Amino acid sequence: MASRVAERKPPVIAVTDDWRLLQAQNVYRLLLLALLISLQQAGTLDLLFEDNRPQLFYGVCIVYALAALCILIPALYRRPALNAQALANFALDTGAIVLLVFASGGVAGGLGILAIPPVIAASLLLSTRLAMAVAAMATLAMFGEEVLGHYPNLYSTSNFTGTGVLGITFFITAGVANAVARRARASEALALRVGSEFEDLARLNETVIDTMQTGVLVVDAGDTVRALNHAAARMLHCGPD
């Protein structure tokens, strides 16, 4: 192989997109909680929701915030595996949001849309089957909240219609997000394969040049010798004979 005079810089190990997404989800969760707690303290919830339970709402926000801080640690150390952390994050978000929806008067209050980002985040990180399972669990959780919130008066079709529309939204967003993630991973795998093949061709080219009897010397625009084969080294007396 041709000897290199100018040393290559070592590659920089980048943080994977999946772990960055998980960390971004943690940041989003903390910002959302800061907003909700601020609204609670300002007394805005009474203006936004007709039927609300302020003490329950505030208590859920505090516990949710503490759990959000604790779940930051595994994401920073990347242990356990990504799939397990994605499911744990989804379970935490969905459970807390369902309680917040219950405390704010149900799906009709509008907080049910807060469950969409966790579904999207989980769908981006998990397989297609798990993404659909995540959407189904979020839908069942919302229906369970509506049943619990309106028990024993379960005859209001408007409440369940809105919950059904929200469930359909979960499935649509989960499917689209998972398809986008799969396409991105396929493109990344293709880029890595092409890059590997390019490196193989480059090594083959260097081997061919190095075995030539004709001296070959490569110099860049800054007059730095980038490569030379054995024949050129012998001619210039800068290598073994």
Side-chain angles (χ1 to χ4, degrees):
M1 185 180 294
S3 57
R4 294 286 179 179
V5 175
E7 296 183 354
R8 295 178 179 174
K9 295 181 179 180
V12 178
I13 300 176
V15 180
T16 60
D17 291 338
D18 289 343
W19 286 108
R20 279 202 296 263
L21 175 61
L22 194 64
Q23 293 167 2
Q25 184 181 3
N26 290 328
V27 174
Y28 161 78
R29 183 185 299 118
L30 293 174
L31 292 176
L32 175 63
L33 281 167
L35 175 62
L36 292 177
I37 293 174
S38 298
L39 292 175
Q40 168 71 21
Q41 293 297 312
T44 311
L45 293 180
D46 294 332
L47 300 177
L48 295 176
F49 309 114
E50 295 180 0
D51 182 17
N52 69 86
R53 301 170 176 87
Q55 292 183 347
L56 175 61
F57 192 96
Y58 183 72
V60 172
C61 285
I62 295 300
V63 175
Y64 190 14
L66 294 176
L69 292 174
C70 292
I71 209 170
L72 279 173
I73 299 175
L76 292 176
Y77 287 97
R78 301 186 183 182
R79 292 291 186 276
L82 181 67
N83 283 1
Q85 291 203 40
L87 289 172
N89 276 264
F90 168 76
L92 171 63
D93 290 331
T94 302
I97 290 171
V98 165
L99 291 176
L100 292 175
V101 170
F102 176 77
S104 60
V107 174
L111 282 187
I113 60 173
L114 294 180
I116 296 177
V119 170
I120 294 176
S123 300
L124 288 172
L125 298 173
L126 300 173
S127 64
T128 303
R129 182 177 299 178
L130 286 176
M132 293 299 102
V134 159
M137 286 186 288
T139 303
L140 291 175
M142 286 299 169
F143 271 109
E145 181 279 326
E146 286 299 293
V147 171
L148 179 63
H150 295 86
Y151 183 83
N153 300 318
L154 304 178
Y155 304 104
S156 178
T157 57
S158 60
N159 296 325
F160 291 101
T161 299
T163 308
V165 171
L166 185 60
I168 293 173
T169 305
F170 290 155
F171 279 96
I172 293 175
T173 54
V176 172
N178 187 260
V180 170
R182 285 188 288 108
R183 193 177 188 88
R185 291 190 182 98
S187 299
E188 182 180 2
L190 177 61
L192 291 175
R193 185 168 66 250
V194 171
S196 177
E197 292 175 354
F198 179 79
E199 290 180 357
D200 292 340
L201 289 174
R203 285 194 293 267
L204 176 62
N205 181 60
E206 290 177 354
T207 302
V208 171
I209 292 176
D210 197 44
T211 56
M212 293 173 58
Q213 297 302 315
T214 303
V216 177
L217 178 68
V218 179
V219 182
D220 62 15
D223 294 332
T224 300
V225 177
R226 305 297 299 180
L228 75 163
N229 64 354
H230 287 299
R234 288 194 300 268
M235 294 176 185
L236 298 175
H237 304 289
C238 60
D241 295 334

